[in-house]
């Protein structure tokens, strides 16, 4: 679409909701070029630069009818998305809208539907990021939900039906923040990927992600060598102790201008799985890591689904994956089975098996059972699987396995001898089952590596593999 006169020298409006002001704060200074004349449509769309990267953005005009979406405003969003598709540019939506315009009736509903169709058409072709700065209600709630990344400012509210409707239909008493605020969507629903500190932080995080997607960079293997540290030293001395995997992830990835490059996504949701984007030796990578601090690192229905969506996001945009595993298996229980752990866990298997991007798995302590396969095993097409010394690869822990395999013998042993027998049988089982050594022998683990060379080994493996993208759509699983 042809741009109109640049808005380089226009003053930012005093109303903080003004769309031009918000776009000026999002884009690099002096680069905002509106895609249409300013009107009363409730939307302003523009092209500009983000750290020098050409980017398309549209912003709800909350100063006009609360940013409600009418036919003309929806047309501006569709045109902006089409402009992004045509130029291969990222597209960012700054949302502050009460939904479809009531006065325009079904025409407005149809127009909102055309916005959704455009978003789906762009899915997997160009990165789509939503920044929710105020209300994204009714039809506007599904706009952010259809994009790849959702960032919420503290004033953001996302819900299909507001508290009044909820109260009249169900009798439930709830306020707007509890119904659809950042706390709710960051921890309970998983709708939002990032909960920002304020509007400025939300814009900053969106800009950072634009750079990650659009300027992915190349691996600098010399820098990877220089950045090597003994990451295993960050783990507790006892293998039975839980720990937070996030410091390890930060240490694995680059620091940029004194700040970790890791941008965690959905950090408050399904916390036994850590997902996020960062840079490794200068190149954008996606990281998935089991977090033993939460549920012992177990996979559950929510964390498997969270991981599957993230794998597909990275695969769609050609972002290599680093998978850090320390997992005792899937979380057992009636609640998990009823919550669809089989169905939702299968999504992660499908996502990894479908992925074409380079993806390296690192076993830090243990990987057992079905989780061994689900966390990017060789059988699902992993580029490489590495393990640290002393790690375990098995159907289950040796002691637990012996408890099942030798249940009768243990029960028959005198009580004072039972523990010693259990330990002896455990040692025998470890020798027979083979552990990580057996996994290396049959080729499902490529190498037991020096933890002090982890960064360079992973970077080299990813750099040597063809970097391909699957170019599938990124359905919000």
């Amino acid at each position: 679409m042809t741009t109109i006169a640049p808005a380089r020298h226009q003053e930012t409006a005093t109303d903080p909701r003004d769309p031009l002001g918000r776009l000026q704060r999002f884009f690099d200074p002096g680069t905002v070029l509106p895609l249409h004349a300013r009107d009363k449509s409730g939307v302003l769309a523009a092209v500009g630069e983000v750290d020098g990267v050409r980017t398309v953005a549209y912003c709800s005009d909350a100063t006009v009818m609360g940013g409600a979406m009418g036919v003309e405003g929806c047309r501006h969003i569709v045109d902006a998305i089409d402009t992004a598709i045509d130029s291969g540019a990222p597209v960012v939506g700054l949302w502050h809208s009460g939904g479809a315009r009531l006065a325009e009736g079904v025409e407005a509903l149809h127009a909102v539907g055309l916005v959704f169709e455009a978003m789906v058409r762009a899915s997997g072709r160009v990165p789509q990021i939503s920044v929710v700065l105020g209300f994204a209600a009714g039809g506007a709630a599904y706009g952010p939900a259809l994009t790849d990344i959702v960032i919420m400012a503290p004033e953001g509210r996302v819900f299909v039906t507001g508290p009044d409707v909820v109260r009249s239909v169900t009798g439930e008493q709830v306020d707007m923040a509890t119904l659809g605020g950042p706390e709710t969507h960051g921890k309970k629903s998983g709708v939002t990927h990032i909960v920002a500190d304020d509007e400025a932080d939300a814009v900053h995080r969106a800009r950072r992600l634009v750079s990650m997607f659009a300027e992915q960079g190349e691996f600098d293997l010399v820098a990877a060598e220089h950045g090597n540290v003994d990451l295993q030293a960050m783990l507790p001395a006892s293998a039975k102790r839980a720990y937070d995997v996030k410091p390890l992830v930060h240490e694995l990835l680059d620091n940029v201008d004194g700040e970790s490059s890791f941008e965690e996504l959905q950090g408050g949701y399904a916390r036994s799985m850590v997902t996020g984007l960062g840079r490794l030796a200068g190149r954008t990578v996606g990281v998935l890591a089991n977090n033993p601090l939460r549920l012992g690192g177990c996979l559950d229905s929510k964390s498997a689904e969270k991981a599957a969506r993230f794998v597909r996001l990275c695969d769609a945009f050609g972002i290599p994956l680093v998978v850090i595993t320390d997992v005792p298996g899937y979380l057992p229980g009636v609640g998990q089975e009823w919550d669809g752990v089989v169905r939702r866990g299968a999504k992660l298997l499908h996502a990894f098996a479908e992925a074409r991007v380079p993806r390296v798995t690192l076993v830090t302590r243990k990987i057992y059972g079905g989780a061994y396969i689900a966390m990017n095993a060789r059988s699902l097409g992993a580029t490489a699987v590495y393990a640290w010394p002393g790690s375990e690869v098995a159907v289950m822990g040796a002691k637990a396995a012996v408890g099942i395999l030798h249940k009768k013998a243990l029960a028959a042993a005198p009580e004072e001898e039972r523990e010693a027998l259990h330990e002896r049988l455990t040692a025998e089982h470890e020798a027979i089952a083979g552990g990580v050594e057996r996994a290396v022998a049959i080729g499902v683990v490529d190498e037991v590596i020096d933890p002090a060379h982890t960064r360079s080994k992973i970077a080299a493996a990813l750099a040597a593999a063809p970097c391909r993208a699957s170019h599938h759509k990124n359905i919000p699983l």
Side-chain angles (χ1 to χ4, degrees):
M1 176 179 285
T2 304
T3 58
I4 67 167
R8 299 172 185 271
H9 307 296
Q10 296 184 34
E11 293 290 329
T12 300
T14 55
D15 189 333
R17 302 171 301 159
D18 181 77
L20 178 58
R22 280 173 161 166
L23 289 169
Q24 287 173 331
R25 291 189 289 274
F26 171 69
F27 285 120
D28 295 345
T31 66
V32 182
L33 294 169
L35 289 169
H36 56 88
R38 185 75 181 265
D39 54 26
K40 296 294 185 180
S41 66
V43 173
L44 182 63
V47 295
E49 294 183 0
V50 173
D51 290 333
V53 175
R54 177 183 167 86
T55 304
V56 177
Y58 52 89
C59 181
S60 304
D61 187 350
T63 68
V64 178
M65 299 176 64
M69 303 167 68
V71 172
E72 192 62 27
C74 290
R75 185 176 296 118
H76 292 328
I77 296 176
V78 171
D79 288 346
I81 294 171
D82 286 338
T83 299
I85 294 172
D86 291 343
S87 59
V91 58
V92 176
L94 306 178
W95 291 88
H96 191 156
S97 171
R101 288 190 174 179
L102 294 176
E104 296 185 26
V106 71
E107 289 182 85
L109 288 176
H110 176 70
V112 172
L114 293 177
V115 170
F116 297 162
E117 188 277 334
M119 288 174 163
V120 173
R121 189 155 31 84
S123 181
R125 299 175 66 181
V126 295
Q128 298 183 82
I129 298 170
S130 288
V131 186
V132 183
L133 302 174
F135 289 102
Y142 286 108
L146 285 168
T147 60
D148 300 305
I149 303 289
V150 180
I151 302 168
M152 287 186 73
E155 297 76 19
R157 302 288 184 267
V158 178
F159 43 70
V160 177
T161 54
D164 291 342
V165 176
V166 169
R167 191 177 304 114
S168 66
V169 174
T170 71
E172 295 170 294
Q173 300 291 327
V174 65
D175 60 33
M176 291 183 182
T178 303
L179 182 63
E183 182 83 2
T184 295
H185 289 310
K187 293 183 178 180
K188 291 183 171 64
S189 71
V191 167
T192 189
H193 295 82
I194 296 172
V195 175
D197 296 333
D198 51 34
E199 182 166 324
D201 182 50
V203 169
H204 167 70
R205 308 283 274 280
R207 286 174 53 86
R208 194 177 190 208
L209 287 168
V210 166
S211 296
M212 291 248 196
F213 279 108
E215 294 289 334
Q216 294 186 18
E218 302 290 338
F219 287 108
D220 182 342
L221 298 185
V222 174
E225 284 281 358
H226 289 161
N228 273 329
V229 293
D230 184 1
L231 294 175
Q232 194 175 38
M234 301 183 70
L235 301 190
S238 170
K240 296 180 180 179
R241 278 191 58 198
Y243 63 94
D244 188 354
V245 77
K246 292 179 189 179
L248 190 154
V249 173
H250 285 290
E251 196 67 32
L252 173 70
L253 299 177
D254 300 347
N255 281 333
V256 179
D257 298 326
E259 181 184 7
S260 171
S261 64
F262 185 57
E263 186 68 73
E264 186 177 2
L265 303 179
Q266 292 183 298
Y269 177 73
R271 293 188 291 173
S272 66
M273 175 68 69
V274 174
T275 59
L277 298 171
R279 293 193 185 272
L280 174 63
R283 211 262 189 235
T284 299
V285 296
V287 176
L288 300 95
N290 306 116
N291 194 357
L293 192 64
R294 308 293 178 183
L295 302 178
C298 283
L299 280 172
D300 64 356
S301 58
K302 290 181 178 178
S303 63
E305 190 173 80
K306 167 183 170 177
R309 170 86 192 277
F310 182 72
V311 169
R312 297 191 83 252
L313 167 70
C314 292
D315 188 48
F317 294 107
I319 298 173
L321 288 164
V322 179
V323 184
I324 302 172
T325 64
D326 183 354
V327 57
Y330 279 91
L331 186 68
V334 173
Q336 282 297 304
E337 300 298 342
W338 289 2
D339 200 33
V341 69
V342 173
R343 173 179 57 83
R344 297 163 92 177
K347 295 178 184 181
L348 184 54
L349 296 171
H350 191 287
F352 271 128
E354 178 188 36
R356 301 176 71 233
V357 290
R359 43 200 164 94
V360 172
T361 296
L362 171 69
V363 184
T364 59
R365 285 204 310 197
K366 63 184 177 299
I367 185 165
Y368 295 157
Y372 154 77
I373 303 172
M375 291 301 291
N376 192 43
R378 264 294 190 182
S379 52
L380 296 186
T383 301
V385 179
Y386 297 133
W388 281 347
S391 57
E392 300 176 65
V393 180
V395 175
M396 64 175 63
K399 195 164 186 176
V402 165
I404 295 172
L405 294 172
H406 301 281
K407 182 178 180 180
K408 290 183 179 179
L410 289 169
E415 187 174 347
E416 66 274 11
E417 299 176 10
R418 193 170 298 152
E419 185 59 30
L421 176 62
H422 202 153
E423 294 296 335
R424 179 172 62 78
L425 292 172
T426 296
E428 291 175 1
H429 179 81
E430 287 176 341
I432 295 170
V436 72
E437 292 78 13
R438 179 61 179 159
V440 171
I442 66 174
V444 296
V445 170
D446 293 274
E447 186 180 347
V448 176
I449 65 171
D450 182 345
H453 295 156
T454 300
R455 269 176 54 91
S456 56
K457 290 289 290 188
I458 292 176
L462 292 173
C467 192
R468 301 167 297 187
S470 290
H471 298 299
H472 52 63
K473 295 187 183 299
N474 185 31
I475 185 172
L477 293 179

